[in-house]
Amino acid sequence: MDISPMVPKDRKLIEGYGAEGFRIAGTLYAGSVLLMRDRVLEWDVTAMDELTIDRLEPLFGDASDLEILLLGCGLQGVLPPKELRLAVRERGPVLDSMDSGAACRTYNVLLAEERRVAAALILPRPETR
């Protein structure tokens, strides 16, 4: 039995994720990504302490109707600073942060429900010491 979510063909469904990258609509992205329903942008953020509202700006350009922004924080969910949450909210969407795996799964569910969702996903890479 096929349990794949029913999404329009032009939507960017996340097919897999891990330390090697994110597989989205048949393409492997080896680093962090900004993901919208119809496009994927490579993103140079590798950790939460690098995150600013400016680094999220590409999501707000033509996405004025964005309802939910999922923030995949890497291996562990982290509450972003209040200033960042407020700055995102001023642009329209609600910011929901969680680990990147949970953000991928949540994104797919919301995409299948035709919600106006985007995701900023930090690659879930184990820290090396």
Side-chain angles (χ1 to χ4, degrees):
M1 174 180 281
D2 182 8
I3 61 167
S4 301
M6 299 294 292
V7 296
K9 296 281 185 210
D10 64 338
R11 299 294 192 247
K12 300 296 183 187
L13 188 69
I14 302 170
E15 299 162 341
Y17 59 89
E20 71 285 347
F22 298 98
R23 180 165 299 284
I24 302 169
T27 301
L28 181 64
Y29 296 86
S32 300
V33 296
L34 294 175
L35 176 59
M36 291 147 277
R37 295 177 288 180
D38 60 347
R39 67 185 179 274
V40 182
L41 302 172
E42 293 182 279
W43 194 37
D44 65 353
V45 172
T46 60
M48 282 296 292
D49 61 359
E50 300 171 11
L51 186 58
T52 64
I53 193 63
D54 292 336
R55 294 233 157 133
L56 294 171
E57 203 60 45
L59 296 171
F60 305 118
D62 12 324
S64 59
D65 70 339
L66 190 59
E67 176 185 9
I68 301 167
L69 173 54
L70 300 173
L71 175 58
C73 302
L75 289 174
Q76 296 181 3
V78 176
L79 185 63
K82 182 178 181 178
E83 297 80 26
L84 180 66
R85 293 191 316 267
L86 291 173
V88 170
R89 189 66 184 132
E90 285 175 6
R91 285 161 174 77
V94 172
L95 179 65
D96 196 356
S97 64
M98 57 196 74
D99 68 77
S100 290
C104 289
R105 294 184 299 273
T106 303
Y107 175 86
N108 281 350
V109 169
L110 294 173
L111 189 69
E113 292 176 352
E114 291 291 322
R115 302 288 295 273
R116 297 181 320 266
V117 63
L121 303 171
I122 296 174
L123 189 65
R125 197 174 296 211
E127 288 186 38
T128 55
R129 301 207 185 257

